[in-house]
Amino acid sequence: MTRALAVCLAAAALGSACGPGAECGFEPQCAGLTAYYACAKTEVARIECPAQQFCSMDAAKQLPACVGGYTVSGTATYAKRAQTTAGLAAPVQTPIPDVSLAVVDDVGNVMGTGFTDAEGHFTLAYQPLSGVTVHVMIFASADPTTGVPLTVNARSGIFGYGAPPFVSEPTHAQDIAVTEDEACEPFNVYATAFKSFKYLKTLTSVSLTPLTYLIYPGYAPSCGSCYYSDTNTIHLEFTADNSDGFDDAVIDHEFGHYVQNRVSMSDSAGGSHNGSPASPLLAWGEGYATYYSSSARHNELYIDTFADPGSPNGYASYVFSLRSNLYPAVRTLPMTQNLSEWLIAEILWTLEDTATPGLSKPPTATMDILGKVVRQGHVDRGVTGFDLVDFLDEWFIQRGLDDCAAFRTLLATKRFPYDFQAPGAACP
Amino acid sequence: MRSWLPLVALALALAGCAKTGAPRAEPIGKPQIPAELLEHRAKAPPLAPHPTRLVRLPGGAVVEELRP
């Protein structure tokens, strides 16, 4: 029996016989995860190996076969530095949830892929080649089975980090501990945004389009840190003087703009802003984003840290509490007056703040109103475009008049001259 | 020549003045840190360059891998 015929018969036994009229005669081989049984110049039978299995040549039979892989297992963590009112706290190793992993050899061939679980644990199968130097690469793209469409990119691709190498063996144990700031900050962006996505999914069922953060050492976007709605991309500064990679409040502020874009809309023209009274459209857009940041983090403080070599831990903080009342409106001006973005953030935060008598609404209430403002039939009051007046009007239209008294108290504190005349839902 | 503008205006009015979400002129950034907080701090040393390489995944995506 010729070897080519033997190959053909073996392939037939595996369910990969050559089709009618095809002839055997080519070398069977592995190519990645695929076993090829060549039959004729115009036909090639092939078998895709199932998950967690890999193509390997059986030396005795000289045939490709799908076999179980080697495995490497451990826990993936990064050194998180939490924001404080005086810079950044000391680093704490923190799990990286539902993130992508690959086993890579010396020259960059990918030998297996997988994901961590919600606690950062992983077991990764890879091609069973003994004695090869490999390492685990962790890269900031979420496991698609979580429903979180999140990726953190560097300059030329998804942000990745290579763990120390080891020699391949059937089972290997190795934790991945990312400790260098230049890698920890992008993974903090990933972990923070991942948590925000999970929070958002508890508030709304709208479909979520992919969101990409862009951050890498030395990156200085012309806008500072900002969100581009046309590409659903958030750019974060990472320079020696200022990095937002550990600034969870900023990461979530920009995420708040993505939420607006997906669930509702913003008529803000964008551009720079500093809390001073500005167009009601800009104030609404920025104030909502800051509120969302606090809601997602369950923390009333907006903090933005910056490098300050003179400070004890090398960082200082810009802090604003949404429980303050520092930027009230002017009671004697119309409700179309310019407003501070902080005023908007304070009002929205107060709605769900359990410390507020008479309100303490669930965050789903605000999210629901946000989506309703864009309905057909909404009457645009206030300035033209989505502003605080539209939100307040829709609150009473959708939720009735039970909250009139509480809102009168709240808006009196904030000195905002709302007229409580929502179309069809005027407060008594 | 007959103008279509009145018809367009009528259509918009009948649509109930629905919000439109006009395109933004600029990207949306974070609140600026007040200048007085920044002006007295010392200059931080520049970030050191970090070696990276590109790894192509089976699906075609590219990872920029930072090597420790």
Side-chain angles (χ1 to χ4, degrees), chain A residues 194-420:
Chain A
F194 186 86
K195 192 182 294 183
S196 276
F197 261 119
K198 298 293 261 188
Y199 178 68
L200 177 60
K201 288 164 76 74
T202 68
L203 303 181
T204 178
S205 58
V206 302
S207 65
L208 300 174
T209 51
L211 174 65
T212 302
Y213 281 82
L214 182 60
I215 181 172
Y216 55 88
Y219 186 40
S222 58
C223 59
S225 289
C226 60
Y227 167 69
Y228 286 87
S229 58
D230 55 346
T231 56
N232 266 337
T233 304
I234 291 171
H235 298 241
L236 294 177
E237 185 176 359
F238 192 173
T239 64
D241 284 336
N242 181 47
S243 175
D244 289 330
F246 283 133
D247 285 334
D248 294 4
V250 176
I251 295 165
D252 279 341
H253 170 94
E254 299 302 339
F255 190 93
H257 288 306
Y258 164 81
V259 175
Q260 270 181 324
N261 195 41
R262 289 306 310 147
V263 177
S264 180
M265 53 169 280
S266 169
D267 287 307
S268 170
S272 63
H273 51 98
N274 60 9
S276 301
S279 148
L281 304 179
L282 184 144
W284 174 261
E286 296 300 336
Y288 174 81
T290 298
Y291 147 75
Y292 184 84
S293 171
S294 280
S295 184
R297 293 175 296 112
H298 311 295
N299 188 329
E300 77 275 14
L301 298 181
Y302 173 86
I303 300 177
D304 186 0
T305 66
F306 51 93
D308 185 0
S311 297
N313 64 20
Y315 291 86
S317 295
Y318 171 46
V319 183
F320 186 86
S321 170
L322 301 193
R323 281 186 175 145
S324 66
N325 189 24
L326 295 178
Y327 290 90
V330 178
R331 190 176 290 130
T332 54
L333 292 178
M335 61 184 185
T336 53
Q337 66 186 275
N338 282 357
L339 300 171
S340 167
E341 61 191 271
W342 298 121
L343 172 71
I344 304 294
E346 288 171 11
I347 290 172
L348 294 176
W349 174 255
T350 305
L351 295 182
E352 68 185 58
D353 192 349
T354 52
T356 308
L359 284 167
S360 301
K361 303 299 180 187
T364 47
T366 296
M367 184 63 68
D368 182 53
I369 299 302
L370 199 69
K372 291 294 193 324
V373 171
V374 294
R375 68 182 171 85
Q376 288 290 319
H378 172 87
V379 177
D380 187 3
R381 298 202 309 140
V383 298
T384 301
F386 190 175
D387 64 355
L388 176 60
V389 175
D390 294 300
F391 176 82
L392 294 171
D393 279 358
E394 205 63 34
W395 183 283
F396 295 113
I397 292 168
Q398 298 296 330
R399 298 179 61 88
L401 306 182
D402 291 349
D403 299 322
C404 287
F407 267 91
R408 285 192 188 281
T409 302
L410 169 61
L411 296 180
T413 303
K414 304 298 180 188
R415 300 183 190 172
F416 183 66
Y418 179 59
D419 62 4
F420 290 89

Side-chain angles (χ1 to χ4, degrees), chain A residues 135 156 241 286 380 385, chain B residues 19 24 28 30 43 64-65:
Chain A
H135 68 274
S156 305
D241 284 336
E286 296 300 336
D380 187 3
Chain B
K19 303 272 182 189
R24 266 179 287 282
I28 325 177
K30 65 175 183 176
K43 193 76 175 170
E64 185 171 351
E65 184 187 39

Side-chain angles (χ1 to χ4, degrees), chain A residues 29-319:
Chain A
Q29 59 182 301
C30 285
L33 303 184
T34 304
Y36 285 95
Y37 298 92
C39 295
K41 290 179 181 176
T42 57
E43 183 182 353
V44 176
R46 65 181 197 173
I47 299 172
E48 298 287 347
C49 293
Q52 306 297 310
Q53 290 204 357
F54 301 86
C55 184
S56 178
M57 290 300 295
D58 184 316
K61 298 179 182 173
Q62 291 190 305
L63 287 175
C66 293
V67 299
Y70 287 0
T71 61
V72 54
S73 58
T75 303
T77 61
Y78 74 101
K80 179 180 179 66
R81 298 191 68 180
Q83 293 185 294
T84 76
T85 54
L88 294 173
V92 175
Q93 287 303 127
T94 304
I96 311 176
D98 299 299
V99 75
S100 301
L101 301 166
V103 175
V104 182
D105 70 11
D106 268 350
V107 293
N109 293 317
V110 174
M111 301 171 65
T113 59
F115 304 96
T116 63
D117 66 14
E119 285 77 43
H121 305 310
F122 65 90
T123 295
L124 198 56
Y126 62 100
Q127 275 184 295
L129 299 176
S130 63
V132 177
T133 300
V134 297
H135 68 274
V136 177
M137 178 178 76
I138 180 169
F139 54 104
S141 183
D143 181 347
T145 64
T146 63
V148 172
L150 171 65
T151 302
V152 178
N153 277 353
R155 186 197 313 260
S156 305
I158 303 168
F159 190 93
Y161 174 86
F166 61 96
V167 177
S168 63
E169 54 183 336
T171 59
H172 184 81
Q174 183 180 29
D175 291 335
I176 304 170
V178 184
T179 56
E180 300 88 346
D181 268 3
E182 58 267 23
C184 289
E185 296 202 29
F187 282 115
N188 184 64
V189 172
Y190 170 85
T192 302
F194 186 86
K195 192 182 294 183
S196 276
F197 261 119
K198 298 293 261 188
Y199 178 68
L200 177 60
K201 288 164 76 74
T202 68
L203 303 181
T204 178
S205 58
V206 302
S207 65
L208 300 174
T209 51
L211 174 65
T212 302
Y213 281 82
L214 182 60
I215 181 172
Y216 55 88
Y219 186 40
S222 58
C223 59
S225 289
C226 60
Y227 167 69
Y228 286 87
S229 58
D230 55 346
T231 56
N232 266 337
T233 304
I234 291 171
H235 298 241
L236 294 177
E237 185 176 359
F238 192 173
T239 64
D241 284 336
N242 181 47
S243 175
D244 289 330
F246 283 133
D247 285 334
D248 294 4
V250 176
I251 295 165
D252 279 341
H253 170 94
E254 299 302 339
F255 190 93
H257 288 306
Y258 164 81
V259 175
Q260 270 181 324
N261 195 41
R262 289 306 310 147
V263 177
S264 180
M265 53 169 280
S266 169
D267 287 307
S268 170
S272 63
H273 51 98
N274 60 9
S276 301
S279 148
L281 304 179
L282 184 144
W284 174 261
E286 296 300 336
Y288 174 81
T290 298
Y291 147 75
Y292 184 84
S293 171
S294 280
S295 184
R297 293 175 296 112
H298 311 295
N299 188 329
E300 77 275 14
L301 298 181
Y302 173 86
I303 300 177
D304 186 0
T305 66
F306 51 93
D308 185 0
S311 297
N313 64 20
Y315 291 86
S317 295
Y318 171 46
V319 183

